[in-house]
Amino acid sequence: MQERDLKILSFLTMCRICTRKQVQELLFPDVHENIPLRRLKKLTDEGYINRKMFNVEGTKNMYVYYLDKQPKKKLITHDLYITNFLIKIIKNNYEIIEFKKSPQIGNIIPDAYLKIKKENKVKRILLEVQISPNDCLKKYKDIKNIVIDNTNWPVMPILYVVNNQGLDKKLKNIKVIYDNCKIEKVGDIFD
């Protein structure tokens, strides 16, 4: 197994689901797409990872790679946005200290929780990917008390909302960053 295979496995262990395109963006940005494709196929053939074709990003067939349980078809696009967010965090040279998908914090279950570091600053982020018309932000109404009662965090986290609906709702007691599905505001986290 090559070092780049280990990097793919490490990344997939964290994000749980990805595409060849995402692996290339993060780990193989300056090579032909066949190189990450061959590495992913090798890892699949040797039983380290799994893959299945799905309709993603308007394509008829695209391999989605995962470690264990096959992803639910209706959540693939949603979960790939979480992977895109992780890629943007890493490409902005933020160190990921902690990452949890769908953690429970009191009665709130965000799509992901991250603790990241840049230089000597640490930020906590609750990530929400809002691509359906449902209001995922109602649950954050009493966020301050929920964080105080259920964590030992010294400061309130940032709520980072990736959405395709142009949301811009103000919430009390929490800084909110609204971003589009291209995830272009990751650089604002430490501002």
Side-chain angles (χ1 to χ4, degrees), residues 10 20 53 59 67-68 73 81 96 99 111 113 125 131 133 136 138 141 143-144 150 156 165 169-170 175-176 183 186:
S10 176
R20 186 260 332 143
M53 288 263 190
T59 66
L67 286 183
D68 34 63
K73 187 176 179 178
Y81 279 121
I96 298 174
F99 171 75
D111 292 324
Y113 161 75
I125 300 166
I131 56 176
C136 70
K138 288 189 284 190
K141 182 180 170 214
I143 185 67
K144 185 175 182 179
N150 296 283
M156 290 297 292
Q165 299 156 3
K169 189 185 221 178
K170 301 286 185 226
K175 177 182 175 183
V176 184
I183 310 174
V186 169

Side-chain angles (χ1 to χ4, degrees), residues 13-191:
T13 298
M14 179 175 49
C15 68
R16 312 308 290 175
I17 179 176
C18 68
T19 64
R20 186 260 332 143
K21 190 175 176 182
Q22 291 171 319
V23 168
Q24 182 163 6
E25 180 182 349
L26 182 64
L27 302 173
F28 303 95
D30 300 322
V31 299
H32 191 274
E33 66 185 43
N34 286 345
I35 292 174
L37 196 56
R38 279 196 303 262
R39 303 316 314 158
L40 288 162
K41 184 179 182 328
K42 181 181 185 302
L43 290 169
T44 302
D45 291 346
E46 293 178 0
Y48 291 103
I49 64 176
N50 300 299
R51 72 179 181 181
K52 183 172 168 81
M53 288 263 190
F54 289 98
N55 294 334
V56 179
E57 297 177 4
T59 66
K60 285 190 175 182
N61 293 310
M62 178 186 286
Y63 278 121
V64 173
Y65 298 88
Y66 55 97
L67 286 183
D68 34 63
K69 193 170 73 170
Q70 180 177 312
K72 294 180 180 172
K73 187 176 179 178
K74 68 178 187 173
L75 292 177
I76 289 174
T77 299
H78 179 273
D79 289 351
L80 289 174
Y81 279 121
I82 296 171
T83 301
N84 282 341
F85 185 78
L86 288 170
I87 291 168
K88 298 289 185 174
I89 289 288
I90 293 166
K91 287 181 78 173
N92 270 273
N93 297 315
Y94 300 154
E95 177 188 348
I96 298 174
I97 298 169
E98 190 176 354
F99 171 75
K100 292 181 184 167
K101 211 167 182 181
S102 303
Q104 183 157 357
I105 304 165
N107 64 347
I108 293 177
I109 301 176
D111 292 324
Y113 161 75
L114 291 92
K115 182 178 177 184
I116 61 173
K117 183 177 181 181
K118 182 177 183 180
E119 297 164 5
N120 60 351
K121 295 179 183 176
V122 173
K123 296 282 184 176
R124 296 173 194 277
I125 300 166
L126 301 177
L127 176 65
E128 284 291 342
V129 175
Q130 181 69 39
I131 56 176
S132 72
N134 301 331
D135 184 359
C136 70
L137 302 181
K138 288 189 284 190
K139 61 188 172 189
Y140 291 97
K141 182 180 170 214
D142 196 26
I143 185 67
K144 185 175 182 179
N145 291 332
I146 292 167
V147 167
I148 289 170
D149 292 345
N150 296 283
T151 73
N152 59 356
W153 299 343
V155 295
M156 290 297 292
I158 295 169
L159 178 60
Y160 198 105
V161 181
V162 174
N163 74 94
N164 58 359
Q165 299 156 3
L167 291 176
D168 194 12
K169 189 185 221 178
K170 301 286 185 226
L171 297 175
K172 283 185 176 182
N173 301 315
I174 190 166
K175 177 182 175 183
V176 184
I177 297 174
Y178 290 99
D179 203 350
N180 61 40
C181 290
K182 292 181 182 179
I183 310 174
E184 300 172 316
K185 296 183 180 180
V186 169
D188 297 347
I189 291 173
F190 282 91
D191 289 345

